Amino acid sequence: QVQLVESEGGLVQAGGSLRLSCVASGRTFSSNAMGWFRQAPGKEREFVAGISGGVLRTFYADFAKGRFTISRDNAKNTVYLQMNSLKPEDTAVYTCASRVSVSFASREREYVYWGQGTQVTVSS
């Protein structure tokens, strides 16, 4: 069993930056791929970014490329999402998730463990 706890999100002005973190319990963190998803009001949850376990590879949704960076610190069992140049349309609940595989994935069903989510609001 893996528990994921995200940091608090927050309110940020358009153009600003925010870094989310997600701490995972368990001893297999380094071998598990991790991902970030988000869900805006009235919309389905969507993939934001993923990072593999083992040899680190990253993958981003198109809207995140060039603005968001996913990273991990295996010594701290933590995955991060650095978000820059934020836009009002980035407003959503952001949730981290863990696979039980080293390979990253973009589909929800490929993730086994989920955090509780954290609200990010970007004002115009």
Side-chain angles (χ1 to χ4, degrees):
Q1 187 77 11
V2 174
Q3 292 185 323
L4 303 172
V5 180
E6 294 104 341
S7 59
E8 280 194 30
L11 173 64
V12 62
Q13 288 188 332
S17 298
L18 192 64
R19 188 177 80 158
L20 303 179
S21 61
C22 172
V23 180
S25 65
R27 293 178 291 180
T28 60
F29 174 79
S30 63
S31 61
N32 291 343
M34 301 293 294
W36 284 95
F37 291 78
R38 72 182 188 183
Q39 186 168 21
K43 295 186 177 182
E44 293 185 353
R45 186 156 59 186
E46 62 180 348
F47 172 78
V48 177
I51 186 167
S52 63
V55 176
L56 299 182
R57 297 176 63 192
T58 57
F59 183 73
Y60 298 91
D62 286 343
F63 66 80
K65 291 178 182 177
R67 298 191 301 128
F68 294 3
T69 302
I70 187 171
S71 62
R72 65 191 299 161
D73 184 339
N74 290 334
K76 296 181 179 180
N77 274 23
T78 302
V79 62
Y80 303 96
L81 183 68
Q82 176 69 43
M83 302 184 290
N84 299 327
S85 302
L86 283 163
K87 306 174 182 179
E89 51 264 44
D90 294 319
T91 295
V93 174
Y94 285 73
T95 306
C96 70
S98 173
R99 299 196 69 206
V100 288
S101 166
V102 296
S103 303
F104 62 71
S106 61
R107 291 175 290 190
E108 286 188 52
R109 64 175 182 270
E110 298 187 78
Y111 287 82
V112 177
Y113 302 105
W114 293 82
Q116 80 283 2
T118 188
Q119 177 69 47
V120 172
T121 303
V122 183
S123 63
S124 57

